[in-house]
Amino acid sequence: MGDKIFRLYDTMSKQVKPLETREPGHLRFYACGPTVYSYAHIGNFRSFLTADLIVRTAKALDWKVTFVNNITDVGHLTGDDVADSEGEDKLEKALRSKEGESFNNVWELAEHYTAAFEQDWQRLNLQEPNVRPKATQHVRQQILAAEDLIEKGFAYETPTGVYYSVESFPKYGKLSGNTQENLRQAVREVVVDDNKRAQADFALWKKDDHHLMQWYSPFGWGFPGWHIECSVMAREYLGDTIDLHSGGEDNMFPHHECEIAQSEALTGKPFCNHWVHTRFLQVNGEKMSKSLGNFYTVRDLIAKGADPLAIRYALISGIYGKPLNFTDQGLRDAQANIERYRKADELVANVTKEGEDKLGATLEELYDQALDALANDLNTPVALAKALEGARLILREGEDLTIPSAASGKRFLDRINDLLGIVRSSYEMAEAPKPAAPQVDPQLIESKIAERAEAKKSKDFARADAIRTELDALGIELRDTPTGTEWVAKSSI
Ligand code: AMP
Ligand code: ZN
């Protein structure tokens, strides 16, 4: 596989270019991980699956991979996604929400959602990262980085925190196109903080002796900013310059822009050579949001009976650089394909017929084409089509399958599984996830849904709400979608 080139779109240079590693044959890769204030949704996993496919493709090309996927368990503020350093810590906010009532403190909440995330990661059959560092376990390094940045003239202390001066780093804005000029306008709408020299400056450290997670620093009690966490953890595990960094499209700005500014100011070296961003997942053609009722966590879908491997299949069925529309039909199609792989896998395991190898050469070619497709900017639709063509060839042999053909079939399925992770799970716990059986008779739920629809039609909203509350008490959550009302049994870990 040494002669193949792995090409990926690079957000910085805005072109598809070969993924180059500083050390030949060794990829050092950092993917931004989840903020553990809630269960990860399928959109989050779309981005993590891009990273997983990159890791798998690199390994198929015989590269060594050091893959880091962090856990953001402090410091990601509600305002951080749109501007800089304002709002509430997402974990603190979650503790005060209805779901938060079941936790004794914010540490327990973080632990719970981290464990749930790791479980979902395995259920969707992603390969384990080499390191899964937690921001809260690297606070000392973050404080040292903030001190270093002040000393080097890139940051300054105010009564409310330590801020990075965006003007001190002329390249700020190169990745996202959010130049300092654009920023002045964008940021002002969100937050004005007179403590900052410029409104676009972002926090490395927030002074706060009321925060539920706080550490002592030369700047007093407080907590780190979200961006410095990733700069520090990437450097700790991968070195000053990394080969590849990924995240969802919303990470491009401000998160990754800020990481570059911090890391390059700290080391004086380029931070990262290749940037990959996954476009957002939509559900039934719309942005996923709780208010639209089309917001799904992995465990929601599993509780509704979806096969985790089918969820994986559906989530990787589109090119990562284009928005993907997740639909029930897409999930059903994925399920049908997963069944084909299961049958093919069973078939090759139970063969007694002597004869020639009729499949080896074709399957070898199909595997090669699937790998080529992934090495060509992760063209998953083509890779999945080639893989399926192979599975169909095996199935078509049926009872005529010979021992040598079955051996080729098995080799093909094993290699396709290493590449795409869709034939069988690598984790025992994920093999037979039982959908949480609803404690309530589905027929009763459906009749309540129909009654509620009638109530809504006749504008009896009080009755409609009462039905929702009634079902909620039975552990059934209703979701109004453009195509009607759906229900899920509320899952628990
Ligand atoms: P968060 O937990 O908010 O820190 O997000 C974890 C990862 O999921 C980040 O890389 C986000 O960019 C990514 N992400 C969030 N929403 C979506 C979505 N709808 N589709 C794809 N990726 C997403
Ligand atoms: Zn990050």
Short mmCIF file of all heavy atoms in Angstrom, two decimals, residues 32-35 37 41 43-44 46-48 76 90 226 247-251 278-281 288, ligand 1:
data_model
loop_
_atom_site.label_atom_id
_atom_site.label_comp_id
_atom_site.label_asym_id
_atom_site.label_seq_id
_atom_site.Cartn_x
_atom_site.Cartn_y
_atom_site.Cartn_z
N CYS A 32 -10.74 17.41 17.82
CA CYS A 32 -11.43 18.01 18.97
C CYS A 32 -12.53 17.07 19.44
O CYS A 32 -13.32 16.57 18.65
CB CYS A 32 -12.03 19.36 18.60
SG CYS A 32 -10.76 20.63 18.60
N GLY A 33 -12.56 16.87 20.75
CA GLY A 33 -13.52 15.92 21.31
C GLY A 33 -14.77 16.60 21.83
O GLY A 33 -14.98 17.80 21.60
N PRO A 34 -15.59 15.85 22.52
CA PRO A 34 -16.90 16.37 22.94
C PRO A 34 -16.80 17.24 24.19
O PRO A 34 -15.90 17.06 25.01
CB PRO A 34 -17.66 15.09 23.27
CG PRO A 34 -16.61 14.18 23.81
CD PRO A 34 -15.38 14.47 22.99
N THR A 35 -17.75 18.14 24.33
CA THR A 35 -17.95 18.84 25.59
C THR A 35 -18.97 18.01 26.37
O THR A 35 -20.09 17.80 25.88
CB THR A 35 -18.49 20.26 25.33
OG1 THR A 35 -17.63 20.89 24.38
CG2 THR A 35 -18.51 21.08 26.61
N TYR A 37 -21.31 17.85 28.57
CA TYR A 37 -22.38 18.43 29.38
C TYR A 37 -23.71 17.76 29.10
O TYR A 37 -24.73 18.10 29.68
CB TYR A 37 -22.48 19.94 29.14
CG TYR A 37 -22.90 20.35 27.75
CD1 TYR A 37 -24.19 20.82 27.50
CD2 TYR A 37 -22.02 20.26 26.68
CE1 TYR A 37 -24.58 21.20 26.23
CE2 TYR A 37 -22.40 20.63 25.40
CZ TYR A 37 -23.67 21.09 25.18
OH TYR A 37 -24.06 21.46 23.91
N HIS A 41 -24.69 13.89 20.34
CA HIS A 41 -25.73 13.63 19.34
C HIS A 41 -25.10 13.07 18.06
O HIS A 41 -23.86 13.01 17.93
CB HIS A 41 -26.58 14.87 19.09
CG HIS A 41 -25.83 16.10 18.65
ND1 HIS A 41 -25.18 16.19 17.45
CD2 HIS A 41 -25.64 17.29 19.27
CE1 HIS A 41 -24.64 17.38 17.33
NE2 HIS A 41 -24.88 18.07 18.43
N GLY A 43 -24.87 14.26 15.20
CA GLY A 43 -24.06 15.24 14.47
C GLY A 43 -22.63 15.23 14.98
O GLY A 43 -21.67 15.19 14.21
N ASN A 44 -22.48 15.23 16.32
CA ASN A 44 -21.14 15.14 16.90
C ASN A 44 -20.43 13.91 16.35
O ASN A 44 -19.27 13.96 15.95
CB ASN A 44 -21.19 15.00 18.43
CG ASN A 44 -21.87 16.14 19.14
OD1 ASN A 44 -22.68 15.92 20.04
ND2 ASN A 44 -21.58 17.36 18.74
N ARG A 46 -20.93 12.35 13.62
CA ARG A 46 -20.55 12.46 12.21
C ARG A 46 -19.11 12.99 12.14
O ARG A 46 -18.28 12.49 11.37
CB ARG A 46 -21.50 13.41 11.46
CG ARG A 46 -21.01 13.63 10.06
CD ARG A 46 -21.90 14.36 9.11
NE ARG A 46 -21.53 13.91 7.77
CZ ARG A 46 -21.45 14.67 6.72
NH1 ARG A 46 -21.75 15.94 6.78
NH2 ARG A 46 -21.07 14.17 5.56
N SER A 47 -18.81 14.01 12.95
CA SER A 47 -17.45 14.56 12.94
C SER A 47 -16.42 13.56 13.47
O SER A 47 -15.33 13.43 12.93
CB SER A 47 -17.39 15.85 13.77
OG SER A 47 -18.06 16.87 13.08
N PHE A 48 -16.78 12.84 14.54
CA PHE A 48 -15.83 11.86 15.08
C PHE A 48 -15.60 10.71 14.08
O PHE A 48 -14.51 10.15 14.01
CB PHE A 48 -16.32 11.32 16.43
CG PHE A 48 -16.50 12.41 17.46
CD1 PHE A 48 -17.63 12.45 18.27
CD2 PHE A 48 -15.54 13.41 17.60
CE1 PHE A 48 -17.80 13.47 19.20
CE2 PHE A 48 -15.71 14.44 18.53
CZ PHE A 48 -16.83 14.46 19.33
N HIS A 76 -15.78 25.41 28.38
CA HIS A 76 -16.45 25.71 27.11
C HIS A 76 -17.71 26.52 27.46
O HIS A 76 -18.67 25.99 28.01
CB HIS A 76 -16.81 24.39 26.40
CG HIS A 76 -17.28 24.57 25.00
ND1 HIS A 76 -17.45 23.52 24.14
CD2 HIS A 76 -17.64 25.66 24.30
CE1 HIS A 76 -17.88 23.96 22.97
NE2 HIS A 76 -18.02 25.26 23.05
N LYS A 90 -20.74 25.51 29.99
CA LYS A 90 -21.81 24.60 29.59
C LYS A 90 -22.10 23.53 30.65
O LYS A 90 -23.23 23.08 30.79
CB LYS A 90 -21.47 23.94 28.25
CG LYS A 90 -21.47 24.93 27.09
CD LYS A 90 -21.35 24.23 25.75
CE LYS A 90 -21.45 25.22 24.61
NZ LYS A 90 -21.68 24.58 23.31
N TRP A 226 -11.54 27.55 26.85
CA TRP A 226 -11.70 26.32 26.04
C TRP A 226 -10.57 26.15 25.02
O TRP A 226 -10.02 25.06 24.85
CB TRP A 226 -13.06 26.41 25.34
CG TRP A 226 -13.38 25.36 24.34
CD1 TRP A 226 -13.04 24.02 24.39
CD2 TRP A 226 -14.12 25.53 23.13
NE1 TRP A 226 -13.54 23.37 23.28
CE2 TRP A 226 -14.20 24.27 22.50
CE3 TRP A 226 -14.74 26.63 22.51
CZ2 TRP A 226 -14.87 24.08 21.29
CZ3 TRP A 226 -15.41 26.44 21.31
CH2 TRP A 226 -15.47 25.18 20.70
N GLY A 247 -12.20 18.67 13.19
CA GLY A 247 -13.35 19.05 14.02
C GLY A 247 -14.54 19.27 13.10
O GLY A 247 -14.43 19.13 11.88
N GLY A 248 -15.66 19.65 13.70
CA GLY A 248 -16.82 19.99 12.88
C GLY A 248 -16.65 21.40 12.32
O GLY A 248 -15.77 22.15 12.77
N GLU A 249 -17.48 21.74 11.35
CA GLU A 249 -17.30 23.03 10.67
C GLU A 249 -17.39 24.22 11.62
O GLU A 249 -16.77 25.26 11.39
CB GLU A 249 -18.29 23.19 9.52
CG GLU A 249 -19.75 23.16 9.92
CD GLU A 249 -20.68 23.40 8.72
OE1 GLU A 249 -20.46 24.37 7.98
OE2 GLU A 249 -21.63 22.62 8.56
N ASP A 250 -18.15 24.07 12.72
CA ASP A 250 -18.26 25.20 13.66
C ASP A 250 -16.98 25.41 14.48
O ASP A 250 -16.78 26.46 15.06
CB ASP A 250 -19.45 24.97 14.62
CG ASP A 250 -19.29 23.70 15.44
OD1 ASP A 250 -18.68 22.74 14.93
OD2 ASP A 250 -19.75 23.67 16.58
N ASN A 251 -16.11 24.41 14.50
CA ASN A 251 -14.85 24.56 15.23
C ASN A 251 -13.84 25.47 14.52
O ASN A 251 -12.90 25.97 15.12
CB ASN A 251 -14.17 23.20 15.46
CG ASN A 251 -14.82 22.37 16.54
OD1 ASN A 251 -14.63 21.17 16.62
ND2 ASN A 251 -15.60 23.00 17.40
N THR A 278 -15.60 18.77 9.18
CA THR A 278 -16.78 18.03 8.71
C THR A 278 -17.98 18.95 8.67
O THR A 278 -18.23 19.67 9.65
CB THR A 278 -17.06 16.85 9.67
OG1 THR A 278 -15.90 16.02 9.69
CG2 THR A 278 -18.27 16.04 9.21
N ARG A 279 -18.69 18.94 7.56
CA ARG A 279 -19.90 19.76 7.46
C ARG A 279 -20.98 19.18 8.37
O ARG A 279 -20.99 18.01 8.70
CB ARG A 279 -20.41 19.80 6.00
CG ARG A 279 -19.43 20.42 5.03
CD ARG A 279 -19.19 21.89 5.31
NE ARG A 279 -20.40 22.70 5.28
CZ ARG A 279 -20.95 23.23 4.18
NH1 ARG A 279 -20.39 23.02 3.00
NH2 ARG A 279 -22.04 23.97 4.25
N PHE A 280 -21.93 20.00 8.71
CA PHE A 280 -22.93 19.60 9.70
C PHE A 280 -23.89 18.53 9.18
O PHE A 280 -24.22 18.48 8.00
CB PHE A 280 -23.72 20.81 10.16
CG PHE A 280 -23.17 21.38 11.44
CD1 PHE A 280 -21.88 21.08 11.86
CD2 PHE A 280 -23.94 22.21 12.23
CE1 PHE A 280 -21.37 21.60 13.04
CE2 PHE A 280 -23.44 22.74 13.42
CZ PHE A 280 -22.16 22.43 13.82
N LEU A 281 -24.32 17.73 10.12
CA LEU A 281 -25.37 16.76 9.85
C LEU A 281 -26.72 17.45 10.00
O LEU A 281 -26.93 18.20 10.95
CB LEU A 281 -25.28 15.62 10.86
CG LEU A 281 -26.34 14.55 10.72
CD1 LEU A 281 -25.95 13.59 9.60
CD2 LEU A 281 -26.54 13.78 12.01
N MET A 288 -30.41 20.24 12.97
CA MET A 288 -30.85 19.46 14.12
C MET A 288 -31.02 20.39 15.32
O MET A 288 -30.08 21.09 15.68
CB MET A 288 -29.77 18.42 14.42
CG MET A 288 -30.32 17.24 15.09
SD MET A 288 -29.20 15.85 15.16
CE MET A 288 -27.70 16.53 15.61
P1 AMP B 1 -19.07 19.82 21.20
O1 AMP B 1 -19.50 18.69 22.08
O2 AMP B 1 -20.10 20.90 21.04
O3 AMP B 1 -17.74 20.38 21.66
O4 AMP B 1 -18.88 19.21 19.74
C1 AMP B 1 -18.12 18.06 19.47
C2 AMP B 1 -17.81 17.97 17.98
O5 AMP B 1 -19.02 17.80 17.21
C3 AMP B 1 -17.17 19.24 17.42
O6 AMP B 1 -16.10 18.86 16.58
C4 AMP B 1 -18.29 19.92 16.65
O7 AMP B 1 -17.77 20.70 15.61
C5 AMP B 1 -19.05 18.72 16.11
N1 AMP B 1 -20.48 18.97 15.74
C6 AMP B 1 -21.42 19.63 16.46
N2 AMP B 1 -22.62 19.61 15.84
C7 AMP B 1 -22.45 18.93 14.67
C8 AMP B 1 -23.32 18.55 13.57
N3 AMP B 1 -24.61 18.86 13.54
N4 AMP B 1 -22.76 17.85 12.55
C9 AMP B 1 -21.45 17.52 12.55
N5 AMP B 1 -20.60 17.83 13.56
C10 AMP B 1 -21.07 18.52 14.61
#
